Amino acid sequence: MSELNGKAVIAARDLYKIYRMGDVEVRALDGLTLRIEPGEFVAIMGASGSGKSTLMNILGCLDRPTSGQYVLNGEDVSTLSRNQLAGVRNRYIGFVFQGFNLLSRTSAIENVELPLIYSDTTTKERHKLARESLERVGLADRMDHYPSQLSGGQQQRVAIARALVNQPKLLLADEPTGNLDTKTSLEIIELFHSLNREGMTIVLITHEPDIGEHALRRITLRDGRIVHEEKTS
Ligand code: ADP
Ligand code: MG
């Protein structure tokens, strides 16, 4: 397995995810192999139903493949239990979703502190880390605002700050611009670029070619397989 492990953040080989619906078998992932190095900014693209979310769920340790191997940050997570996977997620991965998923009666800074509640940080440390995270996404002046007092783009920035507060190795974003207008979407992509320049590994999942084209490597799925791959040189 040495060729798969090395220093890769993601080394997945021969992933299958098969759903059985009565007599029908759906191969949501059909023998997919993927390697992502530290510091990459990769878009995973493809039409609806091509397997993007299935792949994201497996890469994010939210689900397990039917078969195949997944090594995350040097650790084989293919056969871990659900509890063990939760631990891996907390240590390594920050998630960003289309719907922001912020708590509405909770200020921006409190939303960002949430992932730290179960860690052994003090209240003061949590506050400091959350503040730094909000500064990183350009929201230093909105920390005490509630989600309803923020624009969609600002809410997504809070969600990104929350994803970063645990200092993950990998940022996984599933259709993060799906609820945003074009201009705001490009601002979020620019934020990803600046985080990527600081060294963050980013995997961006999108069905919109206009968004995906901004990543430095682009992978296209169809029927659970990689059918195209290109890199910005
Ligand atoms: P995408 O995110 O690219 O739209 P998905 O990963 O959601 O694609 O779905 C890939 C394929 O797997 C689709 O054909 C979808 O209908 C099927 N699929 C996804 N999740 C399930 C499930 N829980 N049960 C049965 N089929 C599923
Ligand atoms: Mg999807």
Side-chain angles (χ1 to χ4, degrees), residues 152-163:
Q154 289 169 334
Q155 290 182 53
Q156 191 59 300
R157 282 171 192 269
V158 174
I160 293 169
R162 181 183 56 191

Side-chain angles (χ1 to χ4, degrees), residues 19-21 26-28 46-55 174 205 221:
Y19 294 108
R20 290 204 173 74
M21 318 271 291
V26 177
R27 294 182 170 222
S48 176
S50 58
K52 302 183 298 297
S53 292
T54 303
L55 180 60
D174 194 359
I205 295 181
L221 303 189

Side-chain angles (χ1 to χ4, degrees), residues 203-223:
V203 176
L204 162 66
I205 295 181
T206 181
H207 72 281
E208 297 176 272
D210 291 357
I211 296 298
E213 74 178 17
H214 296 280
L216 302 180
R217 173 151 72 111
R218 295 165 295 281
I219 292 169
T220 306
L221 303 189
R222 190 192 301 147
D223 298 333

Side-chain angles (χ1 to χ4, degrees), residues 171-217:
L171 195 63
L172 266 185
D174 194 359
E175 305 279 1
T177 62
N179 285 350
L180 303 174
D181 60 56
T182 305
K183 177 169 170 288
T184 310
S185 296
L186 292 176
E187 287 167 9
I188 294 295
I189 295 296
E190 190 38 55
L191 173 58
F192 284 155
H193 271 291
S194 85
L195 295 170
N196 178 244
R197 283 191 292 269
E198 292 169 15
M200 179 64 63
T201 308
I202 299 178
V203 176
L204 162 66
I205 295 181
T206 181
H207 72 281
E208 297 176 272
D210 291 357
I211 296 298
E213 74 178 17
H214 296 280
L216 302 180
R217 173 151 72 111

